[in-house]
């Protein structure tokens, strides 16, 4: 029986990134369960310092001689130059890619595009999504390009909806949704006592083992809106807000970052507003917030990423002694996945106020650990966090400068409200976490690989474009 | 089995994406199915190879091992002929696509090695002065049948209502795609909702760099037209199966060629067979089909050319000429054709159907196979009881 030959084009399966893990999990399982059906090859992006073994050959992108020795050629970072040679050598039935559009655009525009079937697995992290130009109801820059994929797959329903509503060309195109696969075996769910015991191994004596810890994993970068965590932590720690008994909303007090005191309305509220009534419903049935002494933030990130200045931000909000920062200084190296999973399981909840995510692997890993997520209610991660989390309203949107993709900035008061609920209802919070885990368990590697197997089988039912008589891809000048 | 009296060896390109190979497959299939004894000697002249249908793959495997036939058909240019049979007739079925005059240095190859020569179009004696063996005409057979079962290809970058001018052929000096692009870009703009599709396959082994080079050439040619609003040019460089090509041609709204006077224009024949209006030089195949088609000019507008010396040509005949087309006329014809098709002109539709009917009646594969069989039967040492039934 002839095997379906697949050429993967994404992060090398041998390194530790989200893209690498997806590829490693899916295709390892595919080969293990269908050894007679598939032959796998990979052009691996960033294939340096490989630390994982996979049962297929990984081909480097180009390297070049520099003053520092042999290094990856930046002009061939995603195989823009070397892909065609590999394509001619391997002659795959299907090319599978996973990344951002600029990473696989050369596949869409390949002069040999009609000689292979292309499955583009694509992350959408915000809306609108059309590129540098849009003719409403007619055409868009990115829709025009994405149309050249035989199959388009997004990681969540958010991405599917954004693409089909934002790009007129994709309105009628079938867009599949396949979740990121999860290796269930490394995740554990802890009860209260187990959590305390684990924390005793991890935490210094200055942090009580039964403290409330909200955790976070990610890069230190604008899109992640890291600053919101320190801000929210401030209000939880110092209680400088009012709680309305009428509408249940939280009105946070304005904070002067220099004098380090709360102030009456100046910028956020009308001048002179003195917090004697709820800002939202104007009720006077309000109570002041209370400081919480055992509330902590654990951030697992590379603090040296060129993002927010961590020490400045913490100091502005006066929360230095409530933040634990872990994480290596090389983002692509990471820590072993099992160790990370163990860390997550020690938290009370994850705080995920990101401005936009293509999927949100850390949030999903949190659900896997039975740890509920307090999450920004926008973008891909919201699709699954709703099964095991507390949504935080978007307060405002900030568009990216070039393409206008909106990043959410969550409403601080709503975030505080949800965290207060979490802190005050810790038993119910644990149940919420268990519910999230039950949903996450449906996205096992086997379940996800079955979806891919079905998709590849469907693709192979049609000939490659140059052999069929239905559709062709062309280059337009 | 109406061709069981025929015994021949067929030498030539059968398996590539070239026009000559398409011709071979079109005419051989009815002969083979009709019982002719055929030994196949497939030749590779450098065009990209096709993935053949299962029937053709089996047939090739079987017939390359057959006994040599009585008549040898060389379906190629004279210089591509290899060994001929001794004793039986050797017939050149010329795929010569060069312009105007049959190269003089081929005369010897033709006269010495063959007893008959068959051209795809009528070539008057003054264009073949050195050919001393009997000359015949056998037109290009077309497989295409315009009916509801024929697919119309979707090209992803072309919205359904876009008017498509199509060209299909090699990129070389004779095909002269430069003038085609210049005429199209000069006449149209993005307001016209049209595109020019150029389907061209590079040489066998054309890699991504060579394909990228073609794209650069298109950009450069477009850049020479000094106006700000350029309509898009769509380029397809893949080797396509026969059925994909048929579906692609069916997507064309009109066929345009500005070649320098090719005798052997398979795509022109295929487009006419599908009722597509065509624009081609009056020099070469365009002039030939013009004489055959019904009186109205709409289905085939021939671009006036003036003859100029050939600058690069095998044979180096100082009397040889090729055509330089009148670009203004090409532009005008493209605009006229665009308007007629877009307006759903009823007279145009009537002529389109007439052309389809005529092409099927004169150039369908069974018809042309019969003509060839009839010619070959006259060369056989024995005659069938009933010819052609």
């Amino acid at each position: 029986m002839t095997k379906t030959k697949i050429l993967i084009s994404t992060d090398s399966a041998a390194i530790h990134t989200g893209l690498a893990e997806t590829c490693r999990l899916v295709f390892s399982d595919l080969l293990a369960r269908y050894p007679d059906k598939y032959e796998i090859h990979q052009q691996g992006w960033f294939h340096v310092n490989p630390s994982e073994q996979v049962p297929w050959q990984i081909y480097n992108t180009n390297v070049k001689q520099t003053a520092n020795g042999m290094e990856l050629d930046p002009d061939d970072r995603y195989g823009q130059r070397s892909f065609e040679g590999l394509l001619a050598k391997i002659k795959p039935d299907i090319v599978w890619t996973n990344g951002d559009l600029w990473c696989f655009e050369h596949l869409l525009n390949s002069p040999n595009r009609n000689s292979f079937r292309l499955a583009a697995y694509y992350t959408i992290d915000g809306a609108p999504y059309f590129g540098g130009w849009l003719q409403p109801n007619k055409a868009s820059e990115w829709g025009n390009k994405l149309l050249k994929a035989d199959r388009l797959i997004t990681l969540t329903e958010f991405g599917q909806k954004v693409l089909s509503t934002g790009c007129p060309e994709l309105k009628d195109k079938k867009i599949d949704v396949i979740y990121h696969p999860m290796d269930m075996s490394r995740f554990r769910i802890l009860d209260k006592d187990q959590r305390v015991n684990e924390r005793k191994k991890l935490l210094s004596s200055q942090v009580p083992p039964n403290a409330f810890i909200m955790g976070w994993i990610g890069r230190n970068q604008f899109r992640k809106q890291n600053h919101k965590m320190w801000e929210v932590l401030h209000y939880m720690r110092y209680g400088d807000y009012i709680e309305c008994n009428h509408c249940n909303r939280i009105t946070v007090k304005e904070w002067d970052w220099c004098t380090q005191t709360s102030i009456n309305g100046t910028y956020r509220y009308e001048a002179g507003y003195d917090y004697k009534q709820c800002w939202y419903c104007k009720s006077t049935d309000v109570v002041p917030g209370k400081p919480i002494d055992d509330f902590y933030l654990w951030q697992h990130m590379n603090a040296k990423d060129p993002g927010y200045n961590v020490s400045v931000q913490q100091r502005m909000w006066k929360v230095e002694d409530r933040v634990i920062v872990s994480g290596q200084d090389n983002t692509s190296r990471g820590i072993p996945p099992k160790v990370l999973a163990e860390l997550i399981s020690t938290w009370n909840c994850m705080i995920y106020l990101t401005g936009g995510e293509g999927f949100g692997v850390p949030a999903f890993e949190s659900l896997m650990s039975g740890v509920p997520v307090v999450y920004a209610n926008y973008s891909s991660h919201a699709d699954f966090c709703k099964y095991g989390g507390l949504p935080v309203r978007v307060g405002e949107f900030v568009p990216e400068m070039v393409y206008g993709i909106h990043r959410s900035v969550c409403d601080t008061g709503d975030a505080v409200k949800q965290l207060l609920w979490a802190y005050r209802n810790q038993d119910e919070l644990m149940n919420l976490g268990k519910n999230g885990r039950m949903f996450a368990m449906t996205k096992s590697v086997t379940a996800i690989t079955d979806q891919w197997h079905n998709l590849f089988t469907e693709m192979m039912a049609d000939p490659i474009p140059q052999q069929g008589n239905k559709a062709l891809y062309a280059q337009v000048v | 089995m109406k061709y069981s009296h025929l015994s021949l060896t067929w030498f030539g390109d059968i398996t590539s994406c070239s026009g000559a190979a398409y011709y071979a497959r079109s005419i051989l299939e009815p002969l083979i199915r009709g019982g002719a004894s055929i030994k196949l000697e497939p030749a590779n002249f450098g065009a990209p190879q096709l993935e053949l249908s299962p029937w053709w793959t089996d047939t090739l495997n079987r017939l390359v091992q057959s006994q040599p036939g009585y008549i040898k058909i060389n379906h190629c240019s004279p210089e591509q002929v290899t060994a001929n049979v001794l004793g039986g007739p050797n017939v050149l079925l010329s795929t010569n696509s060069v312009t105007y005059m049959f190269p003089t240095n081929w005369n010897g190859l033709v006269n010495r090695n063959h007893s008959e020569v068959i051209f795809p179009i009528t070539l008057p004696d003054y264009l073949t002065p050195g050919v001393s063996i009997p000359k015949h005409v056998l037109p290009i057979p077309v497989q295409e049948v315009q009916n509801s079962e024929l697919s119309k290809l979707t090209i992803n970058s072309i919205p359904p209502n876009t008017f498509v001018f199509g060209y299909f052929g090699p990129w070389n000096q004779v095909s002269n795609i430069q003038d085609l692009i210049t005429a199209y870009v000069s006449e149209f703009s993005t307001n016209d909702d049209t595109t020019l599709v150029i389907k061209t396959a590079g040489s066998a082994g054309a890699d991504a760099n060579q394909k990228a080079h073609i794209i650069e050439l298109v950009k450069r040619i477009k850049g020479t037209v000094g106006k700000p609003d350029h309509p898009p040019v769509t380029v397809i460089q893949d080797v396509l199966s026969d059925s994909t090509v048929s579906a692609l041609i069916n997507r064309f709204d009109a066929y345009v060629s500005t070649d320098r006077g090719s005798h052997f224009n398979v795509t022109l024949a295929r487009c006419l067979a599908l009722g597509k209006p065509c624009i081609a030089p009056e020099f070469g195949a365009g002039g030939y089909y013009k004489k055959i088609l019904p009186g109205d000019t709409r289905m085939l507008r021939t671009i006036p050319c003036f003859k100029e010396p050939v600058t690069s040509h095998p044979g180096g005949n100082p009397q040889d000429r090729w055509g330089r087309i009148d670009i203004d006329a090409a532009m005008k014809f493209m605009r006229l054709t665009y308007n007629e098709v877009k307006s759903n002109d009823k007279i145009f539709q009537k002529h389109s159907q007439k052309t389809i009917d005529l092409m099927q009646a004169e150039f369908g594969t069974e018809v042309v196979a019969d003509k060839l069989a009839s010619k070959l039967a006259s060369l056989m040492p024995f005659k069938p009881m009933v010819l052609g039934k």
Side-chain angles (χ1 to χ4, degrees):
Chain A
M1 190 171 79
T2 319
K3 294 183 182 181
T4 297
K5 204 185 289 186
I6 300 181
L7 173 59
I8 303 168
S9 179
T10 190
D11 278 6
S12 165
I15 65 174
H16 283 160
T17 64
L19 295 182
E21 190 186 39
T22 300
C23 156
R24 190 166 58 244
L25 288 173
V26 167
F27 289 99
S28 297
D29 191 58
L30 205 63
L31 279 174
R33 291 201 291 133
Y34 303 102
D36 297 328
K37 284 203 155 68
Y38 294 101
E39 180 186 319
I40 308 294
H41 301 259
Q42 179 173 10
Q43 182 171 51
W45 309 339
F46 310 109
H47 186 62
V48 285
N49 301 320
S51 51
E52 296 278 352
Q53 296 284 332
V54 289
W56 60 82
Q57 181 154 8
I58 302 179
Y59 305 89
N60 252 54
T61 52
N62 287 346
V63 292
K64 64 178 193 177
Q65 186 69 43
T66 68
N68 301 322
M70 295 300 284
E71 287 183 351
L72 289 176
D73 181 354
D75 289 335
D76 194 47
R77 185 171 288 134
Y78 307 110
Q80 296 96 314
R81 290 191 172 170
S82 53
F83 171 75
E84 297 298 331
L86 202 54
L87 182 74
K89 179 179 161 186
I90 293 172
K91 293 185 176 37
D93 298 301
I94 296 174
V95 173
W96 183 92
T97 187
N98 183 10
D100 289 304
L101 182 54
W102 61 86
C103 303
F104 62 77
E105 195 172 342
H106 62 287
L107 305 180
L108 299 168
N109 288 333
S110 166
N112 295 300
R113 176 65 191 85
N114 291 307
S115 67
F116 59 90
R117 305 166 187 80
L118 178 62
Y121 190 30
Y122 196 24
T123 54
I124 305 291
D125 59 11
Y129 197 88
F130 51 77
W133 54 264
L134 171 71
Q135 292 174 332
N137 300 316
K138 217 170 163 196
S140 61
E141 181 193 0
W142 290 344
N144 195 31
K145 292 177 182 179
L146 290 170
L147 209 54
K148 285 187 174 182
D150 291 296
R151 293 297 284 265
L152 207 44
I153 309 104
T154 58
L155 275 89
T156 69
E157 292 82 2
F158 173 81
Q160 182 189 51
K161 186 176 167 194
V162 166
L163 278 186
S164 54
T165 54
C167 300
E169 299 93 335
L170 303 181
K171 182 167 65 76
D172 297 320
K173 186 170 175 77
K174 181 176 191 301
I175 302 175
D176 295 280
V177 176
I178 301 183
Y179 270 52
H180 188 288
M182 279 297 163
D183 174 13
M184 308 276 162
S185 62
R186 68 174 185 261
F187 294 96
R188 61 184 184 181
I189 185 166
L190 302 178
D191 62 32
K192 273 192 216 170
D193 292 333
Q194 287 169 324
R195 191 164 64 201
V196 166
N197 286 337
E198 287 296 314
R199 283 183 183 183
K200 284 176 182 168
K201 299 176 203 169
L202 287 172
L203 299 171
S204 76
S205 55
Q206 289 166 337
V207 181
N210 55 359
F212 190 99
I213 299 179
M214 62 179 185
W216 182 82
I217 298 170
R219 300 287 299 268
N220 178 4
Q221 55 186 200
F222 169 76
R223 177 168 58 85
K224 304 282 185 181
Q225 297 289 294
N226 310 56
H227 66 100
K228 272 292 171 190
M229 289 184 276
W230 299 301
E231 181 183 350
V232 163
L233 176 64
H234 163 89
Y235 289 105
M236 294 302 292
R237 186 199 172 166
Y238 293 103
D240 53 340
Y241 52 83
I242 56 170
E243 222 175 322
C244 179
N245 289 323
H246 182 70
C247 72
N248 297 320
R249 291 169 90 155
I250 302 291
T251 303
V252 297
K253 293 182 181 176
E254 281 198 46
W255 174 254
D256 186 309
W257 305 283
C258 296
T259 62
Q260 306 259 286
T261 53
S262 302
I263 54 175
N264 281 349
T266 308
Y267 304 115
R268 194 195 283 259
Y269 306 115
E270 284 168 2
Y273 171 62
D274 60 3
Y275 311 106
K276 291 218 165 62
Q277 59 187 13
C278 172
W279 173 254
Y280 301 97
C281 72
K282 311 306 175 201
S283 168
T284 53
D285 185 8
V286 297
V287 292
K290 292 189 176 98
I292 302 176
D293 290 330
D294 61 345
F295 199 99
Y296 290 82
L297 167 65
W298 187 311
Q299 291 177 302
H300 183 76
M301 69 178 185
N302 176 4
K304 290 183 186 157
D305 259 342
Y308 295 93
N309 185 322
V310 171
S311 59
V312 163
Q313 300 279 334
Q314 288 177 2
R315 195 166 312 126
M316 265 164 49
W317 290 102
K318 207 176 168 186
V319 291
E320 301 103 302
D321 58 343
R322 288 287 185 267
V323 182
I324 305 154
V325 179
S326 64
Q328 296 201 17
D329 57 6
N330 182 331
T331 309
S332 65
R333 210 179 291 135
I335 61 173
K338 184 137 178 38
V339 173
L340 195 58
E342 286 169 3
L343 175 63
I344 295 170
S345 65
T346 66
W347 298 337
N348 293 82
C349 73
M350 177 174 278
I351 179 88
Y352 210 64
L353 303 179
T354 172
E357 293 294 330
F359 181 74
V361 167
F364 201 84
E365 290 181 333
S366 188
L367 294 193
M368 285 299 309
S369 306
V371 173
V373 186
V374 177
Y375 64 95
N377 194 20
Y378 169 74
S379 191
S380 296
H381 61 280
D383 281 338
F384 53 80
C385 284
K386 66 188 179 198
Y387 295 101
L390 300 167
V392 175
R393 267 188 314 104
V394 173
E396 193 49 79
F397 283 108
V398 177
E400 294 267 22
M401 284 198 277
V402 177
Y403 295 117
I405 298 173
H406 279 48
R407 304 293 170 219
S408 66
V409 182
C410 74
D411 183 272
T412 309
D414 205 52
V416 170
K417 173 173 163 251
Q418 297 291 50
L419 285 168
L420 279 173
W421 185 93
Y423 182 80
R424 291 166 181 168
N425 300 278
Q426 293 192 28
D427 287 341
E428 286 181 58
L429 187 69
M430 285 200 88
N431 287 336
L432 186 60
K434 283 176 189 160
N435 199 58
R437 180 171 160 99
M438 276 198 317
F439 170 78
M441 298 279 279
T442 65
K443 306 299 177 190
S444 66
V445 173
T446 306
I448 298 297
T449 311
D450 277 342
Q451 285 187 274
W452 283 113
H453 173 62
N454 290 341
L455 188 130
F456 295 145
T457 306
E458 279 176 19
M459 290 178 80
M460 290 302 293
D462 288 328
I464 55 173
Q466 70 188 79
Q467 299 294 335
N469 57 6
K470 295 272 175 1
L472 273 185
Y473 300 103
Q475 293 175 285
V476 181
V477 182
Chain B
M1 296 294 245
K2 60 179 180 173
Y3 303 128
S4 56
H5 56 288
L6 293 178
S7 163
L8 52 118
T9 297
W10 182 289
F11 167 80
D13 185 358
I14 303 169
T15 57
S16 81
C17 64
S18 70
Y22 167 86
Y23 183 133
R25 290 192 297 274
S26 300
I27 208 169
L28 279 169
E29 186 169 340
L31 291 178
I32 293 167
R33 290 189 192 274
S37 296
I38 302 184
K39 176 177 172 56
L40 294 178
E41 290 181 355
N44 186 338
F45 298 132
Q49 297 297 296
L50 270 190
E51 183 144 336
L52 295 176
S53 64
W55 186 86
W56 263 112
T57 306
D58 286 340
T59 301
L60 261 170
N61 286 339
R62 190 165 47 87
L63 296 186
V64 294
Q65 301 180 65
S66 299
Q67 293 298 310
Y70 178 70
I71 300 173
K72 174 84 181 296
I73 308 273
N74 290 319
H75 185 232
C76 55
S77 290
E79 84 282 15
Q80 291 171 326
V81 174
T82 55
N84 270 331
V85 299
L86 296 173
N90 294 293
V91 177
L92 176 68
L93 186 52
S94 174
T95 61
N96 173 28
S97 66
V98 297
T99 61
Y100 195 58
M101 188 172 276
F102 199 68
T104 45
N105 70 333
W106 286 358
N107 290 333
L109 294 170
V110 172
N111 295 333
R112 229 179 5 256
N113 294 339
H114 302 93
S115 54
E116 324 262 332
V117 59
I118 303 176
F119 292 114
I121 64 172
T122 307
L123 288 181
D125 288 342
Y126 68 84
L127 292 182
T128 54
V131 175
S132 57
I133 57 175
K135 294 178 295 195
H136 311 279
V137 176
L138 188 71
I140 293 167
V142 285
Q143 299 174 19
E144 277 75 18
V145 177
Q146 181 61 277
N147 58 32
S148 58
E149 287 175 21
L150 181 62
S151 302
K152 199 177 258 204
L153 204 67
T154 303
I155 302 170
N156 76 295
S157 50
I158 303 178
N161 295 330
T162 302
F163 187 98
V164 175
F165 287 104
Y167 168 78
F168 195 114
W171 189 301
N172 56 34
Q173 284 191 301
V174 174
S175 57
N176 188 30
I177 300 177
Q178 173 156 344
D179 278 355
L180 171 60
I181 296 173
T182 303
Y184 164 73
V185 173
S186 301
E187 177 58 30
F188 294 95
S189 72
T190 52
N191 290 332
D192 292 305
D193 200 12
T194 176
T195 188
L196 169 64
V197 169
I198 296 174
K199 161 69 187 80
T200 186
S203 57
D207 60 13
N209 286 336
Q210 288 164 309
K211 290 180 177 180
H213 177 63
I214 295 284
I215 299 295
E216 285 308 308
L217 283 176
V218 173
K219 282 184 192 166
R220 235 181 280 161
I221 296 165
K222 281 186 85 179
T224 62
V225 178
K227 63 174 210 186
D229 184 6
H230 287 176
V233 175
T234 305
V235 183
I236 300 168
Q237 297 191 68
D238 306 273
V239 175
L240 304 180
S241 68
D242 280 342
S243 63
T244 312
V245 169
S246 298
L248 172 63
I249 293 174
N250 205 25
R251 177 60 184 91
F252 293 169
D253 291 292
Y255 169 79
V256 190
S257 177
T258 53
D259 63 84
R260 294 194 182 278
S262 172
H263 294 162
F264 194 79
N265 192 334
V266 174
T267 313
L268 174 59
R270 292 170 88 171
C271 290
L272 288 170
L274 291 181
K276 305 294 175 181
C278 298
I279 301 166
E282 64 185 2
F283 202 27
Y288 170 74
Y289 285 106
K290 185 77 180 172
K291 293 192 179 89
I292 295 170
L293 289 178
D296 191 281
T297 59
R298 276 167 236 248
M299 291 309 296
L300 176 54
R301 289 187 160 100
T302 47
I303 309 169
C305 307
F306 75 86
K307 301 182 191 66
E308 60 176 21
V310 171
T311 53
S312 159
H313 194 303
N317 183 347
Q319 291 168 317
D320 200 3
R321 301 287 180 268
W322 62 8
R324 175 171 286 282
I325 63 144
D326 179 343
I327 289 191
D328 287 333
M331 288 164 60
K332 180 176 131 193
F333 290 158
M334 288 172 89
R335 176 61 66 179
L336 275 172
T337 303
Y338 171 85
N339 289 343
E340 275 161 12
V341 174
K342 275 279 197 187
S343 67
N344 257 332
D345 185 290
K346 281 198 169 44
I347 297 177
F348 162 75
Q349 285 174 10
K350 197 171 85 170
H351 281 280
S352 174
Q353 188 57 52
K354 265 189 179 174
T355 304
I356 291 170
D357 294 339
L358 178 91
M359 292 298 290
Q360 272 307 300
E362 294 290 326
F363 306 119
T365 52
E366 298 280 348
V367 171
V368 178
D370 258 353
K371 286 183 179 161
L372 178 63
S374 186
K375 175 68 219 153
L376 295 177
S378 68
L379 301 175
M380 293 290 294
F382 55 87
K383 308 283 181 237
M385 292 303 291
V386 180
L387 188 65
K389 297 280 189 287

